[in-house]
Amino acid sequence: MKNIQRTLVLGCSLVALAGCGADEIVSPGTSGDIIINNPAPTPTPTPTPTGGPTVTPASGCPTINSTGGLTDAGTISGPTGEYRVCELPGDFDADDELPYVPGLLYAMNGRVDVGSDQGFNSTGTEVTLGIEPGVIIYAVTGRSFIVVNRGNAIEADGTADNPIIWTSRDNVLGLTDDDSDQQWGGVVLLGRAPTSDCSTGVFNTAADPEANPQCEQLVEGTTTSTVFGGTDDDDSTGSMTFNQIRYSGFALAPGDELQALTTGAIGSGTRLGNIMSFNSSDDGVEFFGGTVNMRNLAVVGASDDSIDSDTGAQAALQNVIVAQRSNTGDSVIELDSPPDDYSTEAIPRSVLSVVNFTFIHNSATGQVVRARGGSRIRLANGVIQAKGTPCVRIDQPETLAAGPTFNSILGDCSDSEPLRATDGASLTDLEAIYNDADADNTVDTDVTFTDLFFFDAGDAPTFDVTGLSSFFEEADYIGPLESADDDRFVGWTCDSSILDFGSGSACTSLPIRNGEG
């Protein structure tokens, strides 16, 4: 079980972190002071000529509005050429736009904040950071990450041909491979929607919904307090579409990592879609509280759970592909309400609905999907390749009582234990739910992909997913692709030995855009 503490620490830009170890934003670990000793920067290698296009550096950095502006940090060279480096300020304190400029990379050197916290009862948006299609932002150090604070917004909308890329210095230098990870922090979006885990430790419950009328969670470092939570279900932290987040999950200490994308109480007004997480050393994406709606999600190579949802998050995901590396990875889904607090009936309860998905689970242990803590899991129109482990695990009677649903799931599960129930949950009850004749689920389908990750489900019945969430679109197919010709994941993703999307752009390399080289 996860070890939750009520005061949280998020990868701070200073070397001493007090009390780090909660998994509200980072994963569980030990408490106490954490000292980060960053290694000396890797010398910049001389690029090896390949005879192809070579990027040449931009002449200088754009002008922005925030205090301090962009810092011209010289150039950096890698296999694709030489780039101008424009270092981001530590704080965006005014509305700003990062334009795409051929031969230019933006760099994060430590924590970068978008605006400052606007408070539990605030309205509107104080600072908005816009990022143009094709922009590449890399982390100079492992402890680099970006936080969009409560009451502020990001507008990072790439395109299918020109996604926005967040990555590491080693990726720029050409030093990464398909097993690289843990090279920087990640992207953190915070908002003013409800969360069920309160920094005071006093929960709202069904019996006392106003036990803590200002339920918010605190992420605290030595000099910076970062807070999420509020009462606005419709809150907006902006928009992120067509984004790749590569090689994230830097460890602050053993077990204390960030994810590629972390959300804290964002509202339904936040627009997320066409997001790729590649080789995050912890979870691929992790949602804490709030409302998360996302269509077209690719999580490849996560070292822990691929999708983690917790503390009252109401999450609806459609068209999802998850593929683990062969040598690492835990569950594809881990769903929780406040761990160890399910008996208190803390509200809101976590609900995760995932439809039209393919899960490729390469771990030899564990399970593909795990729900616990009285949370509610709802899966439909999906394909599971379990590689000898259970397809579904339910912990605690409260989680079964929450009403999990499974519809039109084609599972290639463990022969000996296709379903698992623990901590007092009834296996008989779980089997009755999953194996109900009207649910149209299987545990013994031979899942073999004929084209990339497309699985031909033949005439298998599908489930009307529109009844699960108003966000879901009608989709009468199983898996994330309607047919072998469906190219919805092509172009904005990157290819690897783990999963080849057919995009023609390797995750180990920067793309060369039009106007470069």
Side-chain angles (χ1 to χ4, degrees), residues 3 16 40 82 93 124 127 135 158 175 199 212 220 285 295 298 330 333 338 358 370 374 395 417 419:
N3 177 25
E82 185 179 7
D93 55 11
V127 171
V135 162
L175 302 177
S199 57
N212 189 338
E220 186 173 348
V285 293
R295 195 170 287 115
D330 194 4
I333 286 179
T358 287
R370 183 182 186 185
D395 296 354
E417 190 186 15
L419 305 173

Side-chain angles (χ1 to χ4, degrees), residues 57-297:
S59 59
C61 296
T63 299
I64 63 172
N65 300 319
S66 291
T67 302
L70 297 169
T71 301
D72 189 335
T75 64
I76 188 170
S77 296
T80 51
E82 185 179 7
Y83 299 84
R84 175 71 51 193
V85 178
C86 298
E87 191 173 295
L88 303 181
D91 298 284
F92 283 95
D93 55 11
D95 290 347
D96 261 316
E97 181 89 8
L98 298 180
Y100 168 73
V101 178
L104 185 149
L105 302 176
Y106 296 97
M108 296 180 289
N109 191 359
R111 173 174 172 153
V112 173
D113 284 279
V114 177
S116 58
D117 177 52
Q118 297 302 298
F120 185 87
N121 296 311
S122 62
T123 59
T125 301
E126 182 69 13
V127 171
T128 298
L129 173 64
I131 303 175
E132 289 188 351
V135 162
I136 299 175
I137 301 173
Y138 79 92
V140 176
T141 66
R143 57 188 175 144
S144 300
F145 59 99
I146 187 167
V147 180
V148 181
N149 288 290
R150 185 171 59 171
N152 302 277
I154 189 169
E155 299 291 341
D157 295 313
T159 66
D161 294 330
N162 288 295
I164 294 165
I165 298 176
W166 308 79
T167 192
S168 66
R169 184 173 184 268
D170 276 5
N171 195 201
V172 176
L173 297 175
L175 302 177
T176 54
D177 59 31
D178 286 347
D179 276 324
S180 300
D181 59 13
Q182 201 174 5
Q183 295 185 346
W184 66 290
V187 178
V188 182
L189 308 181
L190 306 177
R192 296 168 292 198
T195 179
S196 63
D197 197 10
C198 313
S199 57
T200 61
V202 178
F203 297 92
N204 297 332
T205 68
D208 189 358
E210 294 297 324
N212 189 338
Q214 187 158 314
C215 183
E216 58 186 2
Q217 190 50 267
L218 176 67
V219 183
E220 186 173 348
T222 54
T223 61
T224 305
S225 294
T226 308
V227 186
F228 63 89
T231 60
D232 185 2
D233 288 309
D234 301 323
D235 187 42
S236 175
T237 310
S239 177
M240 284 188 69
T241 59
F242 297 100
N243 279 238
Q244 294 177 23
I245 307 174
R246 306 177 179 181
Y247 304 112
S248 61
F250 177 73
L252 306 175
D256 291 326
E257 302 103 348
L258 298 176
Q259 287 68 233
L261 175 65
T262 303
T263 67
I266 63 171
S268 61
T270 307
R271 182 167 171 255
L272 299 175
N274 297 81
I275 302 290
M276 180 181 186
S277 164
F278 180 72
N279 279 22
S280 175
S281 71
D282 193 43
D283 300 326
V285 293
E286 190 158 15
F287 314 130
F288 297 97
T291 300
V292 180
N293 295 323
M294 192 185 313
R295 195 170 287 115
N296 301 335
L297 170 65

Side-chain angles (χ1 to χ4, degrees), residues 17 19 28 31 42 65 80 103 126 134 148 191 213 226 260 272 302 356 362 392 497:
L17 299 176
S31 60
T42 304
N65 300 319
T80 51
E126 182 69 13
V148 181
T226 308
L272 299 175
N356 301 105
N362 283 320
V392 176
S497 61

Side-chain angles (χ1 to χ4, degrees), residues 350-426:
S350 299
V351 179
L352 174 62
S353 303
V354 186
V355 303
N356 301 105
F357 62 84
T358 287
F359 295 158
I360 303 172
H361 182 255
N362 283 320
S363 177
T365 60
Q367 58 283 310
V368 182
V369 175
R370 183 182 186 185
R372 58 186 180 181
S375 58
R376 187 181 187 191
I377 183 73
R378 303 189 298 184
L379 303 177
N381 296 348
V383 178
I384 298 176
Q385 190 182 73
K387 297 292 180 69
T389 59
C391 280
V392 176
R393 171 179 171 179
I394 299 293
D395 296 354
Q396 298 113 20
E398 289 82 359
T399 312
L400 278 176
T405 60
F406 310 96
N407 297 95
S408 298
I409 309 300
L410 302 181
D412 189 351
C413 314
S414 166
D415 292 335
S416 61
E417 190 186 15
L419 305 173
R420 178 180 293 168
T422 65
D423 293 347
S426 166

